[in-house]
Amino acid sequence: MLKVDHAVLHVFDLDTGSCILSERELDLSERQPRSYVQRMMRKATGSPDNNTARLDTASNLGSELPRYVQGARTLVDLSQDIARELWEQLRLSEEAAPCDLLVADFTDTEAANATAGTKIDVDDDLPWDDEEVEDRSRRFLGIMLLPRKRAFVHQVMDMGGVSASGLSTNDTALPNPTQKLSHYLVIDMDNLEVGIVDEEVQLAGNPVHLLSQTLLRCEPAPSPRKVVDTVVRIAGDIAEQYGEPAALAMADAKDYVTHSAQQDSAITPREMGEQVFADKPELASRFEVAVQKEALPEEVHLRASAANRLAKSHRIRTDTGIDITFPSAYASDQHYIEFAQDSEGGIQITIHAAHIENR
């Protein structure tokens, strides 16, 4: 369950060069703003696209966040500092579009190990450490740049006693909660772990990762999605090099991902290789070497729902244009699907089914 306790919205109007800082929090007693912020933050905390980092306590945000947690600062004050810091960078960009900055303080009872996605060593002497609390809920600070878009809306007019309708444009429409965002971060305020999506932008002619370099001052580690995609690809490459069906190895790797997430276990590339190539130790060793060259995290964490989106099924396409999608768990079960090589070097795919439904 996710509950938003405080939220502030600031306006960046790049067309007029105005940074309009709110002096009050959003009224979360109203259903619409509360629901919007909740949906945006829920999507951010559970996304497998989140790269991972840890907030630098020497940065402006890292030094001021403890004061906010301790009650010495309000969210309005803290978010205004964040807005000013980002505005000074955004105003240098010729490409940036008008956007708003949403900053929210929220708690999530289901977010343990799910936001940052990667295991990060945490010091025991965080600036606001108190006695251990049994409450499993996590407190987060969410920071989002919400790109505004132009929307057409109807306009009802009274023209001399005659009703008429027309069209007008609205330049203040915020993104729908289902829309993919390119700049946001969520900070676990208990351990400073960060989940971040931060696409490159051009500032004064230079490519910059706005949130990473301005607020975090660090280079984030790969996201769970990138880690999963990379290790699955490596499994397929290794299998293919040794004459094994790449589709089978990749599907087995995906099955390991979903099974681990369902068991609330970490996804470990080394363990994945040992499972996928259980009866081929040499290939498992080759897999481990290839993974090490990619400099991937030792383990990542995924919620079961996110793992299902990434790895529940596997899709293949033959050189004859036939697409086949099957559950990853079926790959190693010959009762469902079989891969074999014929005498001419081609690949035979046998699908066992009691019934076929046309789609």
Side-chain angles (χ1 to χ4, degrees), residues 10-15 17-19 82-101 144-146 183 198-199 201-204 208 210-211 214:
H10 302 294
V11 178
F12 294 154
D13 194 338
L14 294 162
D15 291 335
S18 302
C19 175
I82 295 170
R84 293 188 187 98
E85 196 165 0
L86 291 176
W87 172 251
E88 288 303 314
Q89 298 297 318
L90 281 171
R91 59 197 290 267
L92 301 176
S93 175
E94 297 179 356
E95 300 178 351
C99 58
D100 290 349
L101 174 68
M144 290 183 174
L145 285 177
L146 305 177
H183 296 92
D198 191 19
E199 295 183 6
V201 297
Q202 294 288 326
L203 297 183
V208 172
L210 181 64
L211 300 180
T214 301

Side-chain angles (χ1 to χ4, degrees), residues 48 224-225 227-229 231-232 249-262 267 272 302-315 325-331:
R225 180 187 294 275
V227 172
V228 169
D229 288 347
V231 293
V232 169
M250 296 174 76
D252 281 342
K254 288 184 175 181
D255 184 43
Y256 165 83
V257 170
T258 55
H259 181 75
S260 297
Q262 289 168 357
I267 297 165
M272 174 189 286
L302 273 177
R303 289 180 178 177
S305 57
N308 284 337
R309 291 198 301 271
L310 292 180
K312 186 176 182 179
S313 62
H314 187 64
R315 182 179 180 181
T325 302
F326 59 92
S328 301
Y330 289 1

Side-chain angles (χ1 to χ4, degrees), residues 130-134:
D130 292 315
E131 61 182 4
E132 185 177 351
V133 180
E134 294 184 358

Side-chain angles (χ1 to χ4, degrees), residues 157-217:
M157 301 168 286
D158 184 348
M159 303 178 66
V162 177
S163 296
S165 60
L167 288 174
S168 62
T169 58
N170 186 321
D171 296 326
T172 61
L174 295 179
N176 189 285
T178 60
Q179 180 178 328
K180 186 176 181 179
L181 297 181
S182 56
H183 296 92
Y184 68 80
L185 62 84
V186 284
I187 305 170
D188 188 325
M189 288 192 274
D190 292 321
N191 57 24
L192 300 185
E193 290 183 16
V194 181
I196 179 171
V197 167
D198 191 19
E199 295 183 6
E200 198 173 77
V201 297
Q202 294 288 326
L203 297 183
N206 299 314
V208 172
H209 288 95
L210 181 64
L211 300 180
S212 304
Q213 295 178 224
T214 301
L215 298 180
L216 300 185
R217 297 185 183 178

